[in-house]
Amino acid sequence: KNQVEQSPQSLIILEGKNCTLQCNYTVSPFSNLRWYKQDTGRGPVSLTIMTFSENTKSNGRYTATLDADTKQSSLHITASQLSDSASYICVVSINTNAGKSTFGDGTTLTVKP
Amino acid sequence: DAGVTQSPTHLIKTRGQQVTLRCSPKSGHDTVSWYQQALGQGPQFIFQYYEEEERQRGNFPDRFSGHQFPNYSSELNVNALLLGDSALYLCASSLAWRGQGMGEQFFGPGTRLTVL
């Protein structure tokens, strides 16, 4: 069964600190992996997308890494801001069709002043 | 350029009732997918509409049905509501690649459905 496991489930950090969120998956075959940011009560917004051949992708203060061999990905947030408080969801797809994507349950990040 | 819009924002229903949720895709998009997101969980794929037809379906009962209109907007209907249907319902739109899947999905803000 295709699964996406994210850790930790929740995380609290102080403003200005860095943090790393983890995503392990068993989805196969692999097409791409996305990280989304979802603010409370809002829809997810894509942060990064990586295909099999990519092992790192940055979007401002967000840097995602991918190890397709171990089926692990991480999202690193540098110099956190209060606005980074949100749920971060890892999504792994076997192709580009919506029904072939598996969503993780997300990591809830709280940034405190 | 308006993004994906959904209505209503919030909805309260009682068990056994029926509900209709609406979605307007991002300008230029022709494919609409619906997701159910329970509190503390990731979105679960319900179904996808393209060219006014249901093209893919997730593991949801027939109580969940949908429709896509010629202007690409879409509706999600849920009959005989259960308490467990309480969730955030997300709509996502994309542009289909002919015979090869679709481009990036853009999500709407969701409709929060509460079933009492």
Side-chain angles (χ1 to χ4, degrees), chain B residues 16-47:
Chain B
Q17 285 190 310
Q18 178 265 343
V19 68
T20 297
L21 311 181
R22 296 175 176 82
C23 171
S24 291
K26 181 179 171 65
S27 177
H29 285 181
D30 57 8
T31 302
V32 174
S33 302
W34 286 93
Y35 295 83
Q36 180 194 67
Q37 185 177 26
L39 200 60
Q41 297 182 17
Q44 299 294 315
F45 176 72
I46 302 175
F47 44 53

Side-chain angles (χ1 to χ4, degrees), chain B residues 24-85:
Chain B
S24 291
K26 181 179 171 65
S27 177
H29 285 181
D30 57 8
T31 302
V32 174
S33 302
W34 286 93
Y35 295 83
Q36 180 194 67
Q37 185 177 26
L39 200 60
Q41 297 182 17
Q44 299 294 315
F45 176 72
I46 302 175
F47 44 53
Q48 181 185 80
Y49 276 84
Y50 171 65
E51 292 187 335
E52 302 179 49
E53 291 187 3
E54 182 182 296
R55 295 293 174 144
Q56 296 184 76
R57 189 178 183 92
N59 188 26
F60 279 81
D62 292 344
R63 297 188 298 109
F64 290 77
S65 63
H67 187 77
Q68 185 179 35
F69 300 93
N71 67 353
Y72 307 118
S73 66
S74 177
E75 289 182 348
L76 164 65
N77 301 294
V78 186
N79 294 323
L81 285 167
L82 303 174
L83 295 179
D85 294 332

Side-chain angles (χ1 to χ4, degrees), chain B residues 9 11 21 25 32 36 42-43 50 61 81 90 92 100 102 106 114:
Chain B
T9 305
L11 203 52
L21 311 181
V32 174
Q36 180 194 67
Y50 171 65
L81 285 167
L90 295 166
Q100 297 183 33
M102 63 180 188
F106 290 80
T114 301

Side-chain angles (χ1 to χ4, degrees), chain A residues 4-23:
Chain A
V4 175
E5 300 288 339
Q6 292 188 242
S7 62
Q9 185 174 8
S10 62
L11 183 62
I12 300 174
I13 63 174
L14 293 176
E15 186 178 12
K17 298 297 185 180
N18 303 336
C19 66
T20 300
L21 314 180
Q22 299 291 341
C23 173

Side-chain angles (χ1 to χ4, degrees), chain A residues 38 41 43 46 96-99 104-105, chain B residues 37 42 48 56 100-102 104 108-109:
Chain A
Q38 184 175 21
S46 180
T96 57
N97 286 315
D105 286 338
Chain B
Q37 185 177 26
Q48 181 185 80
Q56 296 184 76
Q100 297 183 33
M102 63 180 188
E104 180 181 356

Side-chain angles (χ1 to χ4, degrees), chain A residues 15-81:
Chain A
E15 186 178 12
K17 298 297 185 180
N18 303 336
C19 66
T20 300
L21 314 180
Q22 299 291 341
C23 173
N24 297 334
Y25 61 93
T26 60
V27 177
S28 182
F30 174 85
S31 174
N32 62 72
L33 185 148
R34 283 187 185 273
W35 282 94
Y36 284 90
K37 177 186 179 187
Q38 184 175 21
D39 293 315
T40 301
R42 309 294 293 176
V45 175
S46 180
L47 293 174
T48 63
I49 178 172
M50 288 182 292
T51 58
F52 184 88
S53 60
E54 298 174 297
N55 54 27
T56 186
K57 182 76 67 79
S58 291
N59 178 1
R61 295 180 296 102
Y62 301 102
T63 299
T65 64
L66 172 65
D67 186 334
D69 291 332
T70 62
K71 298 187 177 181
Q72 295 180 324
S73 177
S74 66
L75 180 68
H76 187 72
I77 304 174
T78 60
S80 61
Q81 301 176 0

